[in-house]
C-alpha cells in the first residue's frame, strides 16, 4: 500500500487553509475518511466522482479502497497537493480544474460510476438536486455518498408530518432510497463548522411509471413554497392541480407536509398524463 505523509503535513507544506467563500472544511481523521469511503460498499476497480476534494483527504480514502477517482476542484491552491496524490497512485486519479456546477458528470464517464464527496456547503444542495433530476432513469451513477450539514441531511431522509419533510425529501425518495449513513461531529473538521454534519447514502430505485420529473419538481416547488397554507392555496397557480387532487380523493385542505411521497407521485402522474 502506498505510504503517504500525514494530511496535516501536506496542508502545512502547501500553505493551505479552508476557504469560507468556497464552503470548505477539511477532514484529517484517516479512520473516519476510510469509514466514509466504505459506505458505498466495495469500490475496488470502481469509478468514482468526487466534487471539491480540497487537499485530498477523502480522495486518499477512496484511492486506498481501490477506486479510480475523477476529482473536480475549482480551488487552484489545492491542485499541487492533489498532483502529489496523482503521482502516488499512477493512473488512478484524474483531477479536473473547474466548477462542478458547470460540468455534466455523464461526459466524464463511459459507464456506471459512484459519486462520493464532502460537498462544499454553499453548492451541495444544488448539486444533489441536479444529480436527482434527470428524466432518464435509472441514472448513470450507481450511488451517492455525500456529506451535508446535518439539517440538510435530515431534510433528505425526512418522513411526512415532520418539520424537516419537504421538497428535498420527495425528490430524493420518489425513485431512490435515501438513508442517513453516518453523523460527523463538527470537531472532526478544521476549522470546525458551526453545525454538525452527516453522510447521506442514496441508491436509485424503480421509477414509478407515467410521471415526469419536471412535473413533480414544479408540483413540490408550489406545494412547499407556501407550506403553511392549504394545498388549495399553494398549488392553485399550477393548472390542473386542484382537479387532480379531487380525482384522487386527496383533501385540498391538507398541507403539503401531510402528503406522502406516493401521494405526490400520484398527483404528478395525473398532471403528466395527456389530456383528451
Amino acid at each position: 500500500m502506498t505510504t503517504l505523509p500525514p494530511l496535516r503535513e501536506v496542508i502545512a507544506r502547501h500553505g493551505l487553509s479552508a476557504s469560507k467563500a468556497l464552503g470548505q472544511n477539511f477532514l484529517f481523521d484517516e479512520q473516519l475518511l476510510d469509514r466514509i469511503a466504505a459506505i458505498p460498499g466495495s469500490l475496488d476497480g470502481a469509478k468514482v466522482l468526487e466534487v471539491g476534494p480540497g487537499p485530498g483527504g477523502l480522495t486518499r480514502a477512496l484511492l486506498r479502497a481501490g477506486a479510480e477517482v475523477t476529482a473536480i476542484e475549482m480551488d487552484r491552491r489545492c491542485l499541487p497537493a492533489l498532483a502529489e496524490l496523482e503521482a502516488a497512485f499512477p493512473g488512478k486519479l484524474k483531477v479536473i480544474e473547474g466548477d462542478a456546477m458547470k460540468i455534466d458528470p455523464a461526459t466524464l464517464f463511459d459507464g456506471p460510476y459512484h459519486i462520493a464527496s464532502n460537498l462544499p456547503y454553499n453548492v451541495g444542495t444544488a448539486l444533489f438536486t441536479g444529480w436527482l433530476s434527470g428524466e432518464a432513469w435509472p441514472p448513470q451513477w450507481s450511488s451517492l455518498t455525500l456529506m451535508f450539514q446535518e439539517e440538510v441531511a435530515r431534510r433528505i431522509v425526512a418522513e411526512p408530518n415532520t418539520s424537516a419533510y419537504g421538497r428535498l425529501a420527495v425528490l430524493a425518495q420518489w425513485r431512490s432510497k435515501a438513508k442517513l449513513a453516518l453523523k460527523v461531529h463538527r470537531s472532526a473538521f478544521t476549522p470546525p463548522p458551526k453545525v454538525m454534519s452527516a453522510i447521506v447514502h442514496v441508491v436509485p430505485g424503480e421509477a414509478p411509471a407515467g410521471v415526469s420529473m419536471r412535473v413533480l419538481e414544479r408540483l413540490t416547488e408550489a406545494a412547499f413554497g407556501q407550506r403553511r397554507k392549504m394545498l388549495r392555496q399553494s398549488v392553485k397557480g399550477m393548472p390542473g392541480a386542484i382537479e387532480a387532487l379531487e380525482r384522487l380523493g386527496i383533501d385540498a385542505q391538507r398541507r403539503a407536509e401531510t402528503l406522502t411521497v406516493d401521494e405526490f407521485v400520484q398527483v404528478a402522474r395525473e398532471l403528466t398524463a395527456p389530456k383528451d
Side-chain angles (χ1 to χ4, degrees):
M1 181 175 288
T2 303
T3 301
L4 298 170
L7 194 59
R8 288 183 185 274
E9 179 183 311
V10 173
I11 288 173
R13 179 156 38 85
H14 289 285
L16 296 175
S17 59
S19 167
K20 188 174 182 179
L22 294 177
Q24 292 176 332
N25 297 93
F26 297 157
L27 273 175
F28 293 129
D29 187 329
E30 299 277 357
Q31 288 187 328
L32 174 59
L33 290 164
D34 285 339
R35 287 176 65 195
I36 295 170
I39 289 171
S42 175
L43 292 178
D44 192 23
K47 298 184 185 301
V48 176
L49 173 66
E50 183 185 8
V51 172
L58 180 58
T59 318
R60 291 173 167 222
L62 295 169
L63 291 166
R64 281 195 295 265
E68 297 178 18
V69 181
T70 298
I72 302 174
E73 179 58 67
M74 67 183 301
D75 185 354
R76 303 192 72 178
R77 301 175 308 147
C78 295
L79 299 182
L82 294 171
E84 292 180 6
L85 275 182
E86 283 186 280
F89 291 87
K92 295 294 186 179
L93 173 61
K94 178 182 179 181
V95 179
I96 298 172
E97 181 185 357
D99 183 351
M101 292 291 291
K102 300 177 181 178
I103 297 174
D104 180 1
T107 64
L108 305 177
F109 302 94
D110 56 8
Y113 61 94
H114 300 268
I115 301 179
S117 182
N118 173 11
L119 288 175
Y121 282 167
N122 53 355
V123 294
T125 302
L127 285 168
F128 180 61
T129 54
W131 294 329
L132 290 171
S133 293
E135 287 287 355
W137 204 261
Q140 194 176 347
W141 52 263
S142 301
S143 74
L144 306 174
T145 303
L146 306 172
M147 176 95 71
F148 293 98
Q149 295 180 32
E150 186 178 6
E151 177 186 354
V152 176
R154 292 198 177 280
R155 284 165 50 201
I156 291 169
V157 302
E159 296 183 353
N161 291 302
T162 64
S163 59
Y165 183 71
R167 179 171 178 265
L168 204 53
V170 178
L171 297 184
Q173 296 175 36
W174 79 282
R175 57 182 182 179
S176 299
K177 298 178 181 178
K179 70 175 183 180
L180 200 157
L182 182 68
K183 294 181 184 179
V184 183
H185 197 275
R186 56 185 296 273
S187 63
F189 295 91
T190 300
K194 295 180 180 179
V195 296
M196 303 286 276
S197 299
I199 305 287
V200 171
H201 184 60
V202 181
V203 293
E206 186 173 342
V211 182
S212 164
M213 177 69 201
R214 195 164 296 178
V215 170
L216 184 65
E217 284 183 315
R218 292 203 304 267
L219 174 64
T220 54
E221 185 176 0
F224 289 105
Q226 304 180 71
R227 63 182 298 141
R228 293 184 179 277
K229 294 187 176 181
M230 298 177 184
L231 287 169
R232 67 184 182 192
Q233 286 295 116
S234 59
V235 304
K236 68 179 181 181
M238 191 170 185
I242 299 297
E243 294 79 4
L245 290 170
E246 291 174 352
R247 288 195 297 272
L248 293 166
I250 297 174
D251 188 351
Q253 295 190 72
R254 290 169 62 184
R255 292 178 177 172
E257 66 192 41
T258 71
L259 267 66
T260 64
V261 172
D262 184 58
E263 285 176 315
F264 273 110
V265 167
Q266 291 179 48
V267 177
R269 182 181 288 115
E270 286 286 317
L271 295 172
T272 303
K275 304 298 184 289
D276 296 330

